[in-house]
Amino acid sequence: MASLQELLAKDGFDRRNFGKAPKPVKPIRDRDDSIALPIYICHDHRKTAHLSATKKGSSIFSSSKRVGSVSERSNTNKSLATVTESSRADEPLIDEVAIKAVISILSGYIGRYVKDVNFQETVRDKCNSCLVRRKKEPDNGIFTNMELVIDNIDKLVVEQGTRKELSMKTLRNSIRLLSVIDSLNSKKTKNGSTCGIPNSHISAVAQLLLAILYKLEKNDRICARHLLQVFCDSPFLARNDLLADLWEHFFLPHLLHLKIWYTKELETISNSNYIDKERKVKALSKVYNDQMDKGTIQFALYYKGWLKDGVKAPPVPTVHLPSKPSYGSSSRRSSDSYTLQSPMNNNLYRAVFGTSLERKSMDHSDQNGASINMWHLEEKDKLCTDEDSYNCSFVYKGYGTHRRSSSQNNRDLRAESWPETHKSDYFQIFTCRNQPKECLAKGNLAAKNRSVRKEENANSSELIRAINTVCSSDILSECEFAIRIISKAWLDSRGDPAIEVALSEASIIEGMLEVLSASDDDEILELIISILAEFVVTNDVIRQIILNLDPQLEIFMRLLRSTSLFLKAAVLLYLAKPKAKQMISVHWVPLFLRVLEFGDQLQTLFTVQCSPQAAAIYFIDQLLTGFDEDRNLENARQVVSLGGLNLLAQQIERGDTHERTNAALIMSCCIRADGSCRNFLAENLNKASLLELIVLENCKNSNSYAFALLTELLCLNRRTQIIEFLCGLKEGWSGLNTMHILLARLHRAPEEEYPLVAAILLQLDLLGNTMKCSVYREEAVEAIITALSCQICHEKVQEQSARALLMLAGRFSYTGEASAEKWLLQQAGFHESSGDSFHSKEIVIDDFMHSDEEEEATENWQRKAASMLFNSGNKRLLVALSDCIANGIPRLARASIITVTWMTSLLHSVGDENLRSMACSILTPQLLESLNYEKDLEERVLASYSLLSLMKSSECVSMLPSYDKELLGHLHNLSLVTWTASELMSIIPSSWRH
């Protein structure tokens, strides 16, 4: 490829032309963006022959209009119909590269036994648990031999590379012992048992051990065959215990239709009114497990057939759904045409695909029925084939296609040159076994007869024509074929700078985006997405070009609506890092929630790996924080209404710290938009995971999103629910005491967070015995007193101090607003009228929720809290509160007088005369000041209520001033709205008489 630039210049493809202003991306063609039918694992091999034949024509790069017209597709279909007539009898041998990929995945999986100590222990424990004798009877030495083999394997692993002759002898002896044991699975004995253990289980364990031994012998093909035999001997044991993770990645994608069917049937039974639900569930589970076992055996035998030398491709097994159960609803479809229902809730589904759209059915009656697989679910296939790194961080997603012979040759060349770690994600290649023999033969013959230099020149010329086509042709089929050639060249180049420069130009990126917006071929779309992903990661200019060419992200919205590629499209868009201003459509929220729901597996785009859920979190964060406040809140309410809270709650438990803390931030945004969702999160959020995030925030001194969420979750309207949440929180995380975690945060918290941490610490302390001394309590009270120092604390600290005081008051509305003031005013007989219908509705809800039990729980809590604050805070706390009423910012002043009011209303229960006398002397002067006309009416009512509570002590009455006409006027005026003023007026004259 060294001469690529010269060849480009000769062909009239001047780099300087790329610098011109790019033409706008053509609008997406009008088309039905409904859910496409699921992608078959094996694409139709007949298309391969057609495309190969098309490649031979000289007009493939001719220039005309880039369209996917009906006539063009109709002609293509006619050509395909012609090819269909060919007989299956002439099918080629199985692709050697695909066979190697199968062997590599299976042997690579079991190769972990040699390298990974934890994997060794897991496999050994599983084997031993399967060999526990349940009956005392003769076993002919079977179990003794099995234990000997397991010990021998462990020795062989330790002695690798040393004492080779002795090791080889041990290995061969172990294989002979297991071969004898494996005879238990003969037709006559496989349904029997030995010492109470099914012979099929013993045989499955023997096959697993044989696979390990042949891996140690470096005979990967035989190793793979024995590993597949485990699933043949005892499919239920293998898929549920022995090799559950391998089955999930290797076999489950073939059998997903069974799992979907089972889930749907189970849901039908659960929602029914049957009396004998338990029996029906058991019957359904038996049918499901039997069919899943049969399917597992069929595909295990299918892949074993691949491993036989010189055989033709076996037919793909057909695993039908079980017959329709008799308890099914009469309106449901028959068993061979069930509707595919994703676990997404209906609101989210309708928001993504529209209300008029019906979900399309999966028909399993055709010959490839069992091979149906949805690409967005197939992403579970993450098996790494390198025996050194089963869970590798670099996985190559094969660009290989099942649709043409040229791509088959492409795979042959590429796969042979890959290192072992790059050959992992070959699942698409496994199942696509039928390639035209003639095309393969010609490709191999050409490769043999061509010199290396001629091949490079030919490849360069082909690439140049492909680049020209993508940049200039308006015929969609030509551009799609060119994309295949460009993909092959890019992958074969291994980062050749010349090719990278040629493919990174704006005109080519523009052309690729046009094909991305027009093509219906998932294979082509994935190739383009993968190429662009690699470019975006390494080149910020290309990232900006993509965003400029698609300013409203219409191309990506179309891809995100698709069934098969929406996760990969989400990853590419995430790598491009668009901002909120490019996502103004109201349809983005449901699309990204869908990605969040299904994107739990890494997506591989050539050499780029990324989590779709990380992408979804980024986008939802943008939508909830990147606009003005009204739009942010509107988007947050949409997240709540579409069931996004449950998905976000799950994100707290997994992913990296950044994603989890961002999920916490998003949930806080949702709470601000719809306060009632606190109740759902308080019940469903994993409190240990939330604490873990708080610990991580402590260690990294990072943002406080997790702690902010915790603060929001404590503002619940039912005291019993708050107590339940606090009890769950107090259980701690990973052996760490919750109060110790919060105390550590208190010592490291920024000033504005100080009072909130202290308030939560005090609430946790109130769960215990308040009569005992507590370091946590003393530290927390001290922190609150410090935060109430108005002279030294700035406005932000005072705002959070006000919030902390209202948290300690312990009363909140259904939407999480502090309601202690409203409750106190009602106690004082002050009822403000409000024409706000929503506000009135909220009051009704709160009255309904606060039963007598709830009210009693709240009063008990406030009584304990008041006693604790009076005794621990003592004079310094009361002075601080009095000072805040006089000098604090309005919000803190109001919160302080609310705190004084509810605390003094419970002062009589403290039982300490000295404390009551001290409270009167400190608080009375400031409360009298608060009766003045310039204060808010509510504040004056609260002051009168608090004074009346203090006046219950005779010492306090004596502290009232002598005859004060102005005070009497204030009280007379207040008596019109509160009975507390009238009570005070009746007390004051008697004090003057004395």
Side-chain angles (χ1 to χ4, degrees):
M1 294 293 177
S3 59
L4 179 63
Q5 295 299 336
E6 292 89 332
L7 291 169
L8 285 168
K10 288 178 185 178
D11 205 55
F13 193 76
D14 194 337
R15 261 192 77 184
R16 290 169 293 183
N17 294 334
F18 287 121
K20 297 178 182 178
K23 54 186 176 181
V25 177
K26 297 180 181 177
I28 299 172
R29 295 177 293 123
D30 293 335
R31 57 190 290 276
D32 182 10
D33 275 334
S34 61
I35 298 180
L37 285 175
I39 305 301
Y40 281 77
I41 292 178
C42 283
H43 291 287
D44 194 338
H45 68 278
R46 293 167 293 193
K47 292 187 181 181
T48 308
H50 170 70
L51 288 172
S52 181
T54 306
K55 183 181 176 183
K56 297 175 185 176
S58 59
S59 65
I60 188 65
F61 289 106
S62 61
S63 177
S64 63
K65 205 163 178 59
R66 180 181 298 178
V67 292
S69 66
V70 174
S71 60
E72 178 187 337
R73 296 187 182 278
S74 176
N75 292 336
T76 301
N77 290 337
K78 289 177 183 177
S79 302
L80 290 176
T82 303
V83 180
T84 306
E85 302 300 325
S86 61
S87 171
R88 196 175 184 279
D90 293 328
E91 287 179 350
L93 300 180
I94 305 172
D95 176 19
E96 186 61 23
V97 175
I99 293 174
K100 287 183 179 179
V102 175
I103 294 172
S104 187
I105 281 185
L106 295 173
S107 63
Y109 171 84
I110 208 63
R112 294 173 64 199
Y113 194 96
V114 180
K115 304 282 185 176
D116 188 339
V117 175
N118 292 331
F119 187 76
Q120 284 179 30
E121 292 176 354
T122 301
V123 171
R124 191 187 307 116
D125 290 343
K126 287 180 177 180
C127 290
N128 288 331
S129 66
C130 293
L131 300 175
V132 177
R133 297 174 180 82
R134 299 168 192 171
K135 293 181 181 178
K136 290 185 178 181
E137 60 184 36
D139 62 3
N140 297 322
I142 289 173
F143 295 100
T144 303
N145 289 339
M146 294 281 275
E147 292 167 3
L148 177 62
V149 169
I150 293 172
D151 291 339
N152 286 344
I153 288 174
D154 290 344
K155 289 177 183 176
L156 289 168
V157 170
V158 173
E159 294 174 359
Q160 281 185 95
T162 61
R163 307 172 65 186
K164 291 185 179 180
E165 184 175 343
L166 182 59
S167 295
M168 187 56 67
K169 185 177 180 181
T170 303
L171 190 148
R172 300 312 305 174
N173 287 337
S174 298
I175 290 176
R176 278 194 291 271
L177 286 172
L178 290 174
S179 298
V180 173
I181 294 169
D182 184 51
S183 64
L184 284 172
N185 207 38
S186 64
K187 290 183 179 180
K188 293 182 179 180
T189 60
K190 68 177 181 180
N191 293 325
S193 63
T194 303
C195 294
I197 303 173
N199 288 340
S200 60
H201 288 198
I202 298 172
S203 180
V205 173
Q207 292 292 343
L208 176 57
L209 297 176
L210 280 168
I212 298 171
L213 287 167
Y214 278 108
K215 183 62 184 178
L216 290 168
E217 197 183 41
K218 304 192 185 308
N219 192 333
D220 287 352
R221 182 181 287 263
I222 304 300
C223 166
R225 290 191 63 184
H226 282 289
L227 201 57
L228 289 170
Q229 188 61 40
V230 177
F231 295 95
C232 296
D233 288 351
S234 186
F236 186 86
L237 177 69
R239 65 186 179 85
N240 287 287
D241 188 15
L242 273 183
L243 301 170
D245 50 350
L246 179 62
W247 179 84
E248 181 179 340
H249 291 89
F250 197 86
F251 290 95
L252 181 58
H254 291 292
L255 303 169
L256 269 175
H257 59 292
L258 294 178
K259 193 166 187 177
I260 294 168
W261 171 86
Y262 172 72
T263 304
K264 186 65 180 177
E265 292 298 333
L266 194 60
E267 182 181 353
T268 300
I269 298 175
S270 300
N271 296 334
S272 68
N273 296 320
Y274 295 126
I275 299 175
D276 54 344
K277 281 187 182 181
E278 185 175 350
R279 183 183 63 81
K280 292 185 182 296
V281 169
K282 287 181 179 179
L284 174 65
S285 297
K286 185 178 186 308
V287 171
Y288 164 74
N289 283 314
D290 288 347
Q291 196 71 356
M292 191 65 88
D293 288 347
K294 289 177 184 176
T296 300
I297 292 173
Q298 289 180 36
F299 275 98
L301 293 172
Y302 168 70
Y303 284 120
K304 280 190 73 178
W306 280 43
L307 305 182
K308 296 178 182 177
D309 292 323
V311 298
K312 291 185 178 180
V316 178
T318 299
V319 182
H320 293 293
L321 293 177
S323 59
K324 184 178 179 181
S326 59
Y327 51 78
S329 169
S330 59
S331 62
R332 291 185 62 186
R333 305 185 180 202
S334 62
S335 62
D336 58 350
S337 183
Y338 273 86
T339 301
L340 174 60
Q341 297 280 2
S342 78
M344 187 189 304
N345 67 61
N346 292 331
N347 289 339
L348 179 54
Y349 178 85
R350 284 194 293 271
V352 175
F353 298 110
T355 55
S356 63
L357 182 66
E358 286 189 7
R359 301 188 182 195
K360 299 189 177 181
S361 66
M362 290 171 56
D363 191 341
H364 300 278
S365 61
D366 67 306
Q367 62 177 354
N368 289 326
S371 297
I372 291 178
N373 192 1
M374 296 171 63
W375 278 19
H376 71 280
L377 293 176
E378 187 187 57
E379 296 310 322
K380 288 179 179 292
D381 178 26
K382 284 169 46 183
L383 283 175
C384 174
T385 59
D386 188 282
E387 60 188 65
D388 294 325
S389 181
Y390 175 68
N391 292 312
C392 58
S393 60
F394 177 96
V395 179
Y396 183 82
K397 184 74 174 180
Y399 60 86
T401 168
H402 340 301
R403 303 188 178 188
R404 68 197 187 288
S405 61
S406 61
S407 73
Q408 176 63 47
N409 295 335
N410 181 4
R411 283 200 310 274
D412 293 339
L413 293 170
R414 179 67 177 172
E416 288 297 331
S417 60
W418 284 345
E420 189 71 20
T421 51
H422 294 194
K423 290 194 281 187
S424 68
D425 202 353
Y426 244 99
F427 210 77
Q428 289 174 303
I429 298 176
F430 298 167
T431 53
C432 304
R433 72 254 178 244
N434 298 319
Q435 298 292 341
K437 184 187 298 182
E438 179 184 353
C439 296
L440 286 172
K442 288 185 177 180
N444 292 334
L445 182 61
K448 291 178 182 177
N449 296 333
R450 195 176 297 159
S451 67
V452 175
R453 185 170 296 279
K454 285 183 179 180
E455 185 176 347
E456 287 183 353
N457 289 337
N459 289 340
S460 297
S461 300
E462 190 177 40
L463 176 59
I464 292 165
R465 290 198 299 273
I467 290 173
N468 272 323
T469 299
V470 171
C471 292
S472 60
S473 176
D474 287 324
I475 298 177
L476 182 60
S477 60
E478 292 182 0
C479 295
E480 289 176 338
F481 191 83
I483 291 296
R484 293 187 176 101
I485 294 172
I486 289 172
S487 301
K488 177 184 184 303
W490 172 247
L491 290 169
D492 287 346
S493 71
R494 300 182 184 179
D496 187 326
I499 292 183
E500 185 173 357
V501 169
L503 296 180
S504 300
E505 299 293 352
S507 296
I508 300 178
I509 302 302
E510 179 185 357
M512 288 183 182
L513 286 176
E514 289 185 2
V515 178
L516 201 59
S517 71
S519 179
D520 290 323
D521 189 326
D522 285 324
E523 176 197 354
I524 298 299
L525 296 176
E526 183 173 354
L527 289 174
I528 297 173
I529 290 170
S530 299
I531 293 172
L532 293 178
E534 291 209 333
F535 288 168
V536 167
V537 166
T538 58
N539 192 330
D540 191 65
V541 174
I542 292 179
R543 181 188 70 82
Q544 199 57 54
I545 288 172
I546 292 173
L547 295 179
N548 291 340
L549 289 171
D550 189 13
Q552 297 304 315
L553 306 179
E554 292 175 312
I555 296 174
F556 287 96
M557 182 170 283
R558 175 211 171 196
L559 293 170
L560 286 168
R561 286 183 181 276
S562 74
T563 301
S564 55
L565 293 174
F566 70 99
L567 295 177
K568 295 182 184 298
V571 167
L572 175 58
L573 185 59
Y574 172 57
L575 296 174
K577 287 291 191 293
K579 298 300 181 184
K581 63 182 180 182
Q582 287 189 269
M583 297 181 282
I584 58 175
S585 169
V586 296
H587 300 298
W588 285 113
V589 170
L591 291 174
F592 293 140
L593 286 178
R594 182 173 174 237
V595 173
L596 185 62
E597 181 170 10
F598 292 108
D600 57 339
Q601 298 294 328
L602 287 177
Q603 295 294 299
T604 307
L605 304 174
F606 289 167
T607 59
V608 176
Q609 271 197 335
C610 185
S611 164
Q613 288 185 335
I617 291 294
Y618 168 81
F619 294 130
I620 297 172
D621 180 24
Q622 285 290 313
L623 293 172
L624 270 60
T625 61
F627 297 102
D628 59 72
E629 185 176 1
D630 289 341
R631 181 62 189 276
N632 289 340
L633 293 175
E634 179 186 342
N635 287 338
R637 283 189 284 270
Q638 193 178 7
V639 169
V640 174
S641 66
L642 293 174
L645 285 178
N646 190 44
L647 301 175
L648 290 165
Q650 294 170 15
Q651 293 304 305
I652 288 286
E653 302 176 31
R654 58 189 180 216
D656 63 31
T657 306
H658 179 71
E659 294 164 24
R660 294 168 65 191
T661 54
N662 276 357
L665 169 64
I666 294 169
M667 282 186 277
S668 295
C669 293
C670 291
I671 288 173
R672 283 194 289 275
D674 182 359
S676 62
C677 67
R678 279 183 179 85
N679 298 284
F680 173 85
L681 289 173
E683 290 179 4
N684 293 277
L685 201 65
N686 187 313
K687 299 166 188 64
S689 297
L690 186 61
L691 275 175
E692 179 189 3
L693 272 185
I694 292 173
V695 171
L696 292 172
E697 288 177 353
N698 288 348
C699 296
K700 296 182 179 180
N701 289 323
S702 59
N703 52 55
S704 302
Y705 297 152
F707 179 77
L709 177 60
L710 173 61
T711 305
E712 293 285 359
L713 293 178
L714 285 170
C715 300
L716 301 169
N717 69 312
R718 290 190 297 127
R719 171 50 56 184
T720 54
Q721 192 177 11
I722 297 176
I723 294 173
E724 182 182 351
F725 183 87
L726 287 169
C727 289
L729 192 69
K730 198 171 184 181
E731 292 177 4
W733 164 74
S734 191
L736 292 178
N737 182 298
T738 303
M739 298 183 73
H740 186 73
I741 291 172
L742 290 173
L743 184 61
R745 187 171 189 92
L746 183 66
H747 292 158
R748 303 177 66 171
E751 282 184 322
E752 59 269 19
E753 203 178 275
Y754 212 54
L756 294 174
V757 180
I760 297 174
L761 258 177
L762 285 176
Q763 291 185 75
L764 287 168
D765 185 72
L766 281 170
L767 295 176
N769 186 351
T770 56
M771 301 304 293
K772 292 183 178 179
C773 294
S774 168
V775 174
Y776 304 110
R777 186 190 313 145
E778 298 303 323
E779 292 254 11
V781 171
E782 183 64 31
I784 287 177
I785 293 172
T786 302
L788 292 176
S789 302
C790 301
Q791 288 79 8
I792 60 174
C793 293
H794 55 76
E795 186 173 326
K796 199 167 185 180
V797 176
Q798 292 189 52
E799 287 180 356
Q800 297 306 315
S801 296
R803 190 178 174 197
L805 290 176
L806 294 175
M807 284 181 69
L808 290 173
R811 289 182 181 270
F812 300 94
S813 70
Y814 183 67
T815 57
E817 298 297 321
S819 61
E821 178 181 355
K822 185 188 301 182
W823 179 80
L824 288 168
L825 291 171
Q826 288 175 349
Q827 299 302 305
F830 179 79
H831 301 282
E832 61 173 343
S833 60
S834 173
D836 187 342
S837 61
F838 177 80
H839 181 74
S840 302
K841 181 179 178 182
E842 184 180 314
I843 293 174
V844 172
I845 292 174
D846 288 335
D847 289 343
F848 175 76
M849 296 295 291
H850 279 82
S851 61
D852 292 341
E853 180 187 355
E854 285 294 330
E855 190 59 37
E856 184 180 354
T858 304
E859 290 180 2
N860 288 337
W861 178 270
Q862 284 189 319
R863 192 175 295 109
K864 288 180 68 177
S867 176
M868 179 191 69
L869 290 172
F870 275 124
N871 288 302
S872 297
N874 215 284
K875 180 179 180 179
R876 292 179 61 219
L877 177 61
L878 297 176
V879 169
L881 287 170
S882 178
D883 182 55
C884 287
I885 295 172
N887 303 312
I889 62 173
R891 187 178 177 188
L892 178 58
R894 179 64 68 87
S896 297
I897 198 168
I898 291 169
T899 303
V900 166
T901 303
W902 72 261
M903 285 179 64
T904 54
S905 69
L906 297 166
L907 183 60
H908 64 279
S909 64
V910 175
D912 187 333
E913 284 294 332
N914 293 330
L915 188 60
R916 289 199 291 269
S917 175
M918 180 184 64
C920 287
S921 62
I922 294 172
L923 297 174
T924 299
Q926 185 56 52
L927 291 172
L928 290 171
E929 283 290 323
S930 296
L931 294 175
N932 292 336
Y933 287 118
E934 65 266 17
K935 302 293 184 181
D936 290 341
L937 180 58
E938 293 84 359
E939 187 174 339
R940 293 168 64 200
V941 171
L942 291 173
S944 70
Y945 188 16
S946 186
L947 279 169
L948 183 61
S949 298
L950 291 172
M951 292 306 111
K952 291 178 180 179
S953 170
S954 57
E955 292 183 17
C956 292
V957 173
S958 63
M959 293 180 187
L960 286 173
S962 57
Y963 179 75
D964 188 333
K965 188 175 182 181
E966 185 179 3
L967 173 62
L968 192 61
H970 294 329
L971 292 174
H972 180 75
N973 180 268
L974 277 176
S975 66
L976 300 174
V977 293
T978 174
W979 61 268
T980 58
S982 300
E983 286 287 321
L984 281 172
M985 289 175 66
S986 66
I987 294 174
I988 289 174
S990 65
S991 69
W992 292 336
R993 284 194 300 271
H994 290 83

